[in-house]
Amino acid sequence: MNVKACYLLPAFTLMLLLAGCAGKPVEETPDTPLNVQKLDKASLKATGSENQARALPDRQAQLGLYQAPKTLAGLQFDGEISSAHARTLRYRDPDGKEQLSLTLSGLPTGWDTMKPERAVAGYYSELRQRRVDKALSDSANALSIISERLVDLEGNPSAQSQMRWIEPNRPIQNQALLVTLINDDFIRISNASYRQKTVWLLQQAKRVLAEFKAAQSVPAP
């Protein structure tokens, strides 16, 4: 019998956590994980949380101003997927075994009045729910969220998580997700590996963010 373990932190829980921290900076420390609540699929259906998250329409962001570095954290640029409201930059190592994506998107309509910490928490919660929905869509799959934190990273709020993805006939895949807000634009870094641990992947994501920021000529607001 397949057993699915999904550790969920709804958006409203993140918002309550942020409300309690309003007015003081959030520092990155290794011993301040977000509290997560373990729910089963039946509980999700009862609350309607299994519904696919839907993004609000974005404002007209100037995403074309961002430069796409040829390399990030030793990975080579492997192409770009662009739309009216988002740009996804893809990177990979020479043998194709390690891949990473960096996605740029603007603030949804009305989110410009939010505190940056709340905006990051809301965006992260939507991305998180999509991954949970993917796991719940097939009883053979499982998603374990090892850790997730909301911290201040180089002066900007950042949501960070470490996950494990399991599906039939494949080894366990470790994953990391990092979301931050810079110049009123979201930056999302997502990577996964069958070889590297989640801690290593999260450190790689932080290095990618630092190198990406260093390569930009976008003026400060």
Side-chain angles (χ1 to χ4, degrees), residues 84-123:
H85 303 296
R87 291 178 63 194
T88 296
L89 311 178
R90 297 185 179 277
Y91 292 83
R92 60 183 296 173
D93 64 358
D95 61 9
K97 294 184 178 179
E98 301 292 343
Q99 301 182 30
L100 177 146
S101 67
L102 185 152
T103 300
L104 302 159
S105 58
L107 280 170
T109 302
W111 283 37
D112 55 341
T113 59
M114 286 186 184
K115 291 184 178 180
E117 292 83 0
R118 286 180 176 269
V120 168
Y123 184 54

Side-chain angles (χ1 to χ4, degrees), residues 48-164:
S49 298
E50 79 281 5
N51 294 332
Q52 181 72 17
R54 299 177 181 177
L56 297 171
D58 299 329
R59 63 179 175 83
Q60 192 62 39
Q62 301 298 316
L63 302 179
L65 296 176
Y66 291 92
Q67 306 295 319
K70 293 182 179 180
T71 62
L72 286 176
L75 303 179
Q76 299 292 323
F77 181 63
D78 191 41
E80 174 180 336
I81 300 175
S82 299
S83 67
H85 303 296
R87 291 178 63 194
T88 296
L89 311 178
R90 297 185 179 277
Y91 292 83
R92 60 183 296 173
D93 64 358
D95 61 9
K97 294 184 178 179
E98 301 292 343
Q99 301 182 30
L100 177 146
S101 67
L102 185 152
T103 300
L104 302 159
S105 58
L107 280 170
T109 302
W111 283 37
D112 55 341
T113 59
M114 286 186 184
K115 291 184 178 180
E117 292 83 0
R118 286 180 176 269
V120 168
Y123 184 54
Y124 168 77
S125 294
E126 180 181 329
L127 298 172
R128 183 186 196 278
Q129 188 61 49
R130 290 179 181 177
R131 296 195 182 200
V132 170
D133 290 344
K134 182 180 178 181
L136 294 176
S137 67
D138 189 334
S139 60
N141 297 336
L143 175 71
S144 293
I145 298 179
I146 301 169
S147 71
E148 48 190 2
R149 294 185 296 161
L150 182 66
V151 302
D152 184 285
L153 184 61
E154 298 180 355
N156 299 106
S158 168
Q160 308 171 9
S161 63
Q162 301 172 56
M163 309 178 188
R164 289 196 181 100

Side-chain angles (χ1 to χ4, degrees), residues 152-208:
D152 184 285
L153 184 61
E154 298 180 355
N156 299 106
S158 168
Q160 308 171 9
S161 63
Q162 301 172 56
M163 309 178 188
R164 289 196 181 100
W165 174 259
I166 303 172
E167 57 184 308
N169 304 317
R170 288 181 178 270
I172 296 175
Q173 185 184 67
N174 291 323
Q175 302 178 350
L177 177 64
L178 188 155
V179 175
T180 191
L181 183 66
I182 298 174
N183 295 328
D184 288 336
D185 295 320
F186 287 118
I187 298 179
R188 178 176 90 232
I189 299 171
S190 179
N191 54 357
S193 176
Y194 293 113
R195 300 183 298 181
Q196 303 293 350
K197 295 182 179 180
T198 58
V199 173
W200 187 96
L201 291 170
L202 186 56
Q203 290 301 319
Q204 182 193 49
K206 293 178 182 179
R207 178 182 169 187
V208 165

